[in-house]
């Protein structure tokens, strides 16, 4: 296939297909195309058309020697996440497509410098080797939640596709940078709005700076790199991305645009010092946040300890109630037996004493259990209220470890003890009932 493509000249290329013309039609070329089309490893199918516009999908069992070849079409087996390009020029041309930003893998046949962005990798396309699509479970940041795009046409959900992180000394093609940097730099604004005169780009901070629509100005290699490096610092990690973006916008807003200075030039001129200051601001924010975190953890531990101790007290109260009621029952039963032995009470009277005792036991355990149930419900509501908002300070796993699990275990232990005590109460009541029935 490599030798075939070297003898073809590109007419045009889209995301879905590439169209070539042959420098010189011959039977040998058609034979090789027909043979290559049967290879299962290629990420495309081949279709030829003659001067009359008739199309034939290869491989074909037809006689091809009489065909006056006009166009060779390579129909790509692409997906939303995976795209292929035979030429670097075809790749650059299709950067304006609204679909390409959803790509997570792009393969290019012509020689180029492999690189990556925050959401996509760009690799050399080996035609003879299949390129299976790897399942992706990574969740990328939706830039529309960071930049308020009132125009609803400048920022897409996959906008991080345009940010190159320059890791491992990668050097993306200059044509890519000239196209991607102005699009990526839009993420440094706070708001984009639309009016009758065009688009307005707003930086919000200590003051608001507005820029109007302008044609893209060329940047040098250093300026491209500084813009992308600042954007990578903001968006490479999902956690605190809104804070880093706000801090950088604030620092950029401290600068004053020069007379008639385009916004891309303003950003490229001020981004280095602004990003350095924003990094320091973020470090200070983390120190403050760490102090808040330590205070929050201390408060959580104290609150959870108090809640747990209250549940333990309720558990101990159940045991105390059982001992009290069991003692009262024993005393009443002993007194009843003494009164019967001395003929001081009738059989009907002794029965009433046992019924009253059983009734007391039922009322006692029911009231105690109901009271504790209401108390635990109120504690659960209280814990839910003070735990709101802590997810911004403490990861969910840590919050569960120090707050939710200890309280849940205390409640579970209470319920286990209550079940045992209920069983003991039921046994005592059944014993009294048995005495009433069989005596």
């Amino acid at each position: 296939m490599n030798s075939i493509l070297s003898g073809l000249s590109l007419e045009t290329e889209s995301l879905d297909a590439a169209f070539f013309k042959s420098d010189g039609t011959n039977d040998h070329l058609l034979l090789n195309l027909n043979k290559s089309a049967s290879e299962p490893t290629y990420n495309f199918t081949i279709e030829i058309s003659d001067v009359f516009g008739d199309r034939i999908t290869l491989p074909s069992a037809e006689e091809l020697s009489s065909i006056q070849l006009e166009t060779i079409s390579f129909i790509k087996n692409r997906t939303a996440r995976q795209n292929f390009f035979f030429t670097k020029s075809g790749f650059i041309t299709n950067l304006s497509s609204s679909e390409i930003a959803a790509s997570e893998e792009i393969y290019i046949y012509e020689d180029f410098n492999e690189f990556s962005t925050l959401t996509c990798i760009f690799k050399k396309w080996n035609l003879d080797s299949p390129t299976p699509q790897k399942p992706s479970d990574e969740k990328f940041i939706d830039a529309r939640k960071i930049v308020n795009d009132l125009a609803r046409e400048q920022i897409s959900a996959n906008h991080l596709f345009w940010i190159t992180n320059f890791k491992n000394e990668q050097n993306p093609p200059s044509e890519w940078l000239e196209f991607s940097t102005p699009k990526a730099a839009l993420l440094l604004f706070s708001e984009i709005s639309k009016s009758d005169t065009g688009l307005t780009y707003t930086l919000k901070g200590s003051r608001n700076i507005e820029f109007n629509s302008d044609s893209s100005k060329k940047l040098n290699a250093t300026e491209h790199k500084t813009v992308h490096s600042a954007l990578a610092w903001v968006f490479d990690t999902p956690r605190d991305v809104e804070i880093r973006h706000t801090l950088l916008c604030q620092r950029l807003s401290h600068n004053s645009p020069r007379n008639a200075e385009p916004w891309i030039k303003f950003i490229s001129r001020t981004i280095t010092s602004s990003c350095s200051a924003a990094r320091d601001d973020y470090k200070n924010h983390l120190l403050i946040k760490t102090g808040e975190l330590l205070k929050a953890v201390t408060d959580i531990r104290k609150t959870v300890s108090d809640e747990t101790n209250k549940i333990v007290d309720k558990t101990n109260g159940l045991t105390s109630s059982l001992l009290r009621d069991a003692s009262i029952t024993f005393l009443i039963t002993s007194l009843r037996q003494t009164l019967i032995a001395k003929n001081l009470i009738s059989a009907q009277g002794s029965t009433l004493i046992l019924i009253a005792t059983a009734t007391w036991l039922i009322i006692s355990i029911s009231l105690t259990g109901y009271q504790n149930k209401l108390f635990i419900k109120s504690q659960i509501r209280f814990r839910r209220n003070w735990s709101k908002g802590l997810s911004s300070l403490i990861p969910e796993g840590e919050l569960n470890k120090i707050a939710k699990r200890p309280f849940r275990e205390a409640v579970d232990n209470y319920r286990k003890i209550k079940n045992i005590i209920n069983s003991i109460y039921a046994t005592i009541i059944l014993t009294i009932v048995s005495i009433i029935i069989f005596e």
Side-chain angles (χ1 to χ4, degrees), residues 237-373:
T237 304
R239 191 171 182 84
D240 289 342
V241 62
E242 296 93 344
I243 295 172
R244 290 193 297 274
H245 182 264
T246 300
L247 293 175
L248 183 52
C249 286
Q250 287 176 342
R251 285 296 180 173
L252 284 169
S253 70
H254 292 170
N255 301 279
S256 298
R258 294 172 179 172
N259 187 31
E261 184 179 34
W263 64 261
I264 190 65
K265 278 295 185 181
F266 167 80
I267 287 177
S268 63
R269 175 175 61 84
T270 60
I271 192 64
T272 301
S273 58
S274 298
C275 187
S276 177
R279 286 175 181 266
D280 292 337
D281 293 341
Y282 184 61
K283 289 178 182 178
N284 293 331
H285 164 77
L286 291 179
L287 290 175
I288 296 172
K289 188 174 179 180
T290 300
E292 292 176 352
L293 173 61
L294 293 174
K295 183 177 182 301
V297 170
T298 302
D299 292 344
I300 288 172
R301 292 188 188 279
K302 182 178 183 303
T303 304
V304 172
S305 177
D306 292 343
E307 289 179 337
T308 303
N309 288 336
K310 289 177 182 178
I311 301 298
V312 171
D313 290 341
K314 292 297 179 182
T315 306
N316 293 336
L318 282 177
T319 306
S320 300
S321 296
L322 172 63
L323 294 175
R324 180 200 64 200
D325 293 340
S327 300
I328 292 174
T329 302
F330 177 76
L331 290 174
I332 291 176
T333 305
S334 299
L335 177 61
R336 169 185 172 274
Q337 293 300 115
T338 302
L339 294 174
I340 291 174
K342 293 183 178 182
N343 293 321
L344 297 176
I345 191 173
S346 64
Q348 291 178 340
S350 66
T351 300
L352 288 175
I353 291 176
L354 292 177
I355 292 174
T357 303
T359 303
W360 161 255
L361 291 174
I362 293 172
I363 293 174
S364 176
I365 188 60
S366 297
L367 286 176
T368 303
Y370 182 67
Q371 180 186 26
N372 290 347
K373 180 181 179 181

Side-chain angles (χ1 to χ4, degrees), residues 3-14:
S3 60
I4 293 175
L5 288 171
S6 63
L8 304 178
S9 58
L10 179 70
E11 259 194 337
T12 182
E13 184 170 13
S14 67

Side-chain angles (χ1 to χ4, degrees), residues 13 32 35 44 56 60 67 97 122 129 222 275 376 401:
E13 184 170 13
N32 286 339
K35 181 180 178 181
F44 53 82
I56 301 175
S60 173
I67 292 179
S97 169
F122 300 77
S129 178
T222 302
C275 187
I376 291 174
K401 180 180 178 182

Side-chain angles (χ1 to χ4, degrees), residues 30 32 48 50 79 92 94 99 162 183 201 355 366-367 395 397:
L30 290 171
N32 286 339
I48 59 174
D50 60 15
T79 66
I92 298 299
N94 282 277
E99 299 178 48
W162 303 107
K183 293 184 74 67
Y201 306 92
I355 292 174
S366 297
L367 286 176

Side-chain angles (χ1 to χ4, degrees), residues 49-54 67-71:
S49 59
D50 60 15
V51 293
F52 302 105
D54 294 331
I67 292 179
Q68 299 181 47
L69 186 61
E70 177 69 15
T71 304

Side-chain angles (χ1 to χ4, degrees), residues 112-163:
F112 79 108
N113 295 321
E114 294 187 346
F115 68 102
S116 63
T117 67
L118 295 189
T119 62
C120 185
I121 57 172
F122 300 77
K123 292 184 176 181
K124 184 77 171 61
W125 184 12
N126 184 355
L127 299 181
D128 297 321
S129 178
T131 52
Q133 185 173 1
K134 299 177 182 178
S136 175
D137 55 358
E138 188 172 0
K139 295 182 179 179
F140 301 117
I141 301 168
D142 186 345
R144 297 172 301 181
K145 298 179 180 178
I146 309 300
V147 180
N148 188 16
D149 181 14
L150 299 176
R152 300 187 181 279
E153 59 184 28
Q154 299 297 301
I155 308 297
S156 70
N158 303 304
H159 212 87
L160 302 194
F161 171 85
W162 303 107
I163 301 175

